[in-house]
Amino acid sequence: MDSENTRLTSAQGDQYTGPSDGEASATNQPAFSHEYDGSSRTMDDGSRWWSVPKRYLVALMAFLGFANIYALRVNLSVAIVSMTSNKTRIINGTRVGQVLAAFFYGYIISQLPGGFLSNRFGGKWFYGGGILLTAVLTLLTPAFTNWSIYLLIAARVLEGLFEGVTYPAIHAIWAKWAPPQEKTKLATFAFSGAYFGTVISMTVSGALAESSSGWPSIFYVFGCIALLWFVLWSIFVTENPAGHPGISNAELEYIQQSIGYTEEQTKRIHPPWLRMLSSVPVWAIVVAHFAENWGFYTWLTELPTFMKHVLKVDLTRGGFYAALPYLLMCIIVQTGGILADTLRCRFGIATGTVRKLFTCGAFAIQAIFMVAAGYVMTKAAAITCLTIAVGIGGFAWSGFSVNHLDVAPQFASILMGLSNTFATLPGIISPALTGAVVTDQDSAGQWQIIFYLAAGIYAVGAIVFGIFASGDRQQWADIPMGYQPYMGDPERE
């Protein structure tokens, strides 16, 4: 399939020439005659003005899903400060690194299997089920903690195992739900939920830890919220557009014609493993994903500790300040996705150029402010530098994190599983390395080494992605048969 001009053939024999990603909205005109304008009060199939497009509903539920994923993941980083304090000493300080790293041992195992299974069987239940099982284990965490440190570590490994399928699974959903012209803003809006969840978790967890209910309430509150989300996800989201009972025929045709294929046309296509694993653009994504996650995971697990010992911020305020970078990241991920699609579709900038601009630019800024954070002399300046250094990474997510859908949309879940496998390594290596380097948690000089290391990894990521990344569908990801339109009206069946 030619990446610049995709020729699609309907079941009746008519031919449709679909635009490339960058061409779809170059003239600010609808890509298809039946596509509706979100600002109009009616659609050409008679739907009401207030009928929300179902792909946006999927994006909202995925946003809330990622919020739960990260709330369940990071609450321990705040809770463990109370669990190791002199007043409520539950975990020995020497075990902290093992407990924090345990999640990632399970997380790294399920990435590729999750991508393959989601590609083959669909992403809805892998995404939802992963969050459900993590929520159950979260509710049991206080009991595990009191019974045995080894039970707690085992529970965190299992939580990582279950959450590991979620990122690959969501790409399997977007491969069927996201039109190419909107894939960046839909995917990044969903991803931004991770940082929203981080902000809520860090802020609320600090308050809950200081409350009369103590640190166990952190796990009870967020576990129950995740259970409620799973119920809503099960009700409102379907595996593909054709299976949604409330989708309009106009939206269904718009999605399927834009994507250029249906689930039926791709479910029997076997992944070209050798060509996929030898693809240079694929490995450029892997390197960029690793680089971004190194800085992200370093501060996800260590920022509360750094705030307390170096900046001398108390736990309640520390939770708020530690959440600031992720609040900024949440905002930037969302706006970056919209800006990226605007540059691609309205201004005709090549997809590959946009991906490199956002990823490499973000990495360069992150590296500068990461180093600066180690030398500023005031608390406010240090918090500002760290907030920018972490938060600006939101722009990178409009680059590498959506690039899987550019190079091989039907195999995007597998590619996400591959890149996230390597991107999970920082979660395992970084806490252990930080613990080995920072032997005195009050030493600003030892923390500077951590800053320099993160900045260097960002620089390598920017160079590799800038040289080797691509925004075009790769030849090994061609779909030769073309789009076969859905002939029935799902609203009448």
Side-chain angles (χ1 to χ4, degrees):
M1 181 180 291
D2 185 88
S3 62
E4 294 296 323
N5 191 27
T6 303
R7 198 170 184 78
L8 306 173
T9 306
S10 74
Q12 295 98 332
D14 298 329
Q15 291 182 330
Y16 165 78
T17 302
S20 68
D21 290 353
E23 297 170 344
S25 302
T27 61
N28 293 325
Q29 298 297 320
F32 304 95
S33 60
H34 56 266
E35 183 183 356
Y36 52 86
D37 183 349
S39 64
S40 65
R41 297 181 62 85
T42 61
M43 292 178 275
D44 60 7
D45 66 347
S47 298
R48 299 295 182 183
W49 65 270
W50 38 259
S51 179
V52 177
K54 298 305 178 282
R55 63 190 184 277
Y56 298 155
L57 179 61
V58 172
L60 175 61
M61 291 305 302
F63 169 90
L64 296 174
F66 278 113
N68 277 285
I69 288 169
Y70 269 75
L72 298 175
R73 182 186 305 189
V74 307
N75 53 22
L76 184 63
S77 296
V78 178
I80 208 164
V81 177
S82 292
M83 296 159 74
T84 57
S85 68
N86 292 330
K87 293 181 180 179
T88 58
R89 195 175 190 88
I90 303 296
I91 299 175
N92 188 293
T94 59
R95 296 283 191 179
V96 171
Q98 296 175 3
V99 173
L100 291 175
F103 175 92
F104 299 101
Y105 292 117
Y107 194 69
I108 197 171
I109 293 173
S110 57
Q111 293 293 325
L112 270 175
F116 174 76
L117 293 173
S118 297
N119 177 263
R120 187 170 182 82
F121 300 108
K124 175 184 174 178
W125 294 115
F126 282 98
Y127 186 75
I131 299 174
L132 170 65
L133 294 172
T134 304
V136 172
L137 288 170
T138 298
L139 291 170
L140 295 172
T141 294
F144 291 151
T145 303
N146 287 311
W147 289 340
S148 168
I149 185 67
Y150 299 106
L151 275 177
L152 175 60
I153 291 174
R156 291 294 291 179
V157 172
L158 287 175
E159 286 184 30
L161 191 72
F162 296 138
E163 279 199 18
V165 304
T166 55
Y167 269 90
I170 202 64
H171 264 5
I173 292 172
W174 291 133
K176 303 165 189 173
W177 273 97
Q181 301 88 344
E182 302 178 28
K183 62 187 174 186
T184 313
K185 68 179 181 182
L186 289 174
T188 54
F189 176 77
F191 287 145
S192 71
Y195 313 110
F196 176 77
T198 301
V199 171
I200 297 299
S201 182
M202 284 188 165
T203 305
V204 175
S205 293
L208 289 173
E210 297 290 342
S211 70
S212 58
S213 299
W215 61 264
S217 63
I218 296 173
F219 302 101
Y220 297 140
V221 169
F222 289 107
C224 289
I225 292 174
L227 292 180
L228 175 61
W229 171 87
F230 176 76
V231 173
L232 298 177
W233 173 264
S234 301
I235 295 172
F236 292 115
V237 175
T238 57
E239 188 63 52
N240 53 61
H244 200 292
I247 195 170
S248 69
N249 200 45
E251 184 182 7
L252 177 62
E253 283 295 294
Y254 167 53
I255 293 172
Q256 291 189 338
Q257 284 193 4
S258 298
I259 291 175
Y261 59 86
T262 65
E263 182 181 20
E264 290 296 319
Q265 292 173 273
T266 59
K267 68 181 183 180
R268 292 183 179 86
I269 298 178
H270 298 290
W273 291 103
L274 183 59
R275 299 182 70 187
M276 185 185 300
L277 294 175
S278 61
S279 173
V280 173
V282 167
W283 288 103
I285 298 173
V286 171
V287 173
H289 203 164
F290 178 94
E292 173 57 27
N293 274 19
W294 183 276
F296 180 78
Y297 281 139
T298 296
W299 296 116
L300 191 65
T301 56
E302 302 296 342
L303 199 51
T305 302
F306 176 78
M307 293 281 189
K308 178 181 178 181
H309 290 278
V310 177
L311 301 183
K312 309 301 180 184
V313 178
D314 64 74
L315 180 61
T316 302
R317 291 185 178 179
F320 171 75
Y321 289 134
L324 281 178
Y326 306 106
L327 176 61
L328 177 62
M329 202 169 191
C330 178
I331 296 170
I332 289 178
V333 168
Q334 292 186 18
T335 56
I338 296 172
L339 178 59
D341 277 347
T342 300
L343 292 175
R344 291 168 55 242
C345 299
R346 180 169 297 180
F347 295 98
I349 299 177
T351 297
T353 301
V354 172
R355 301 292 182 237
K356 292 179 180 181
L357 174 65
F358 278 67
T359 301
C360 300
F363 285 178
I365 296 173
Q366 286 179 286
I368 292 170
F369 279 92
M370 191 68 75
V371 172
Y375 288 94
V376 293
M377 302 304 294
T378 66
K379 182 186 302 184
I383 292 174
T384 300
C385 286
L386 286 174
T387 298
I388 295 174
V390 177
I392 210 72
F395 282 118
W397 280 84
S398 296
F400 74 85
S401 76
V402 192
N403 203 207
H404 315 79
L405 292 163
D406 299 325
V407 300
Q410 75 275 37
F411 303 126
S413 63
I414 297 175
L415 297 183
M416 174 58 86
L418 175 66
S419 70
N420 215 19
T421 296
F422 286 90
T424 302
L425 291 174
I428 299 173
I429 301 171
S430 179
L433 184 60
T434 301
V437 172
V438 185
T439 56
D440 178 5
Q441 293 181 331
D442 295 322
S443 171
Q446 291 181 356
W447 283 100
Q448 286 175 359
I449 299 173
I450 304 301
F451 296 147
Y452 269 113
L453 179 61
I457 291 175
Y458 280 135
V460 172
I463 293 170
V464 172
F465 194 83
I467 295 174
F468 298 112
S470 172
D472 297 324
R473 177 178 291 187
Q474 300 302 289
Q475 187 176 15
W476 47 265
D478 281 350
I479 301 176
M481 72 286 289
Y483 166 64
Q484 297 173 8
Y486 183 82
M487 300 305 298
D489 187 345
E491 297 179 327
R492 298 177 183 175
E493 294 185 358

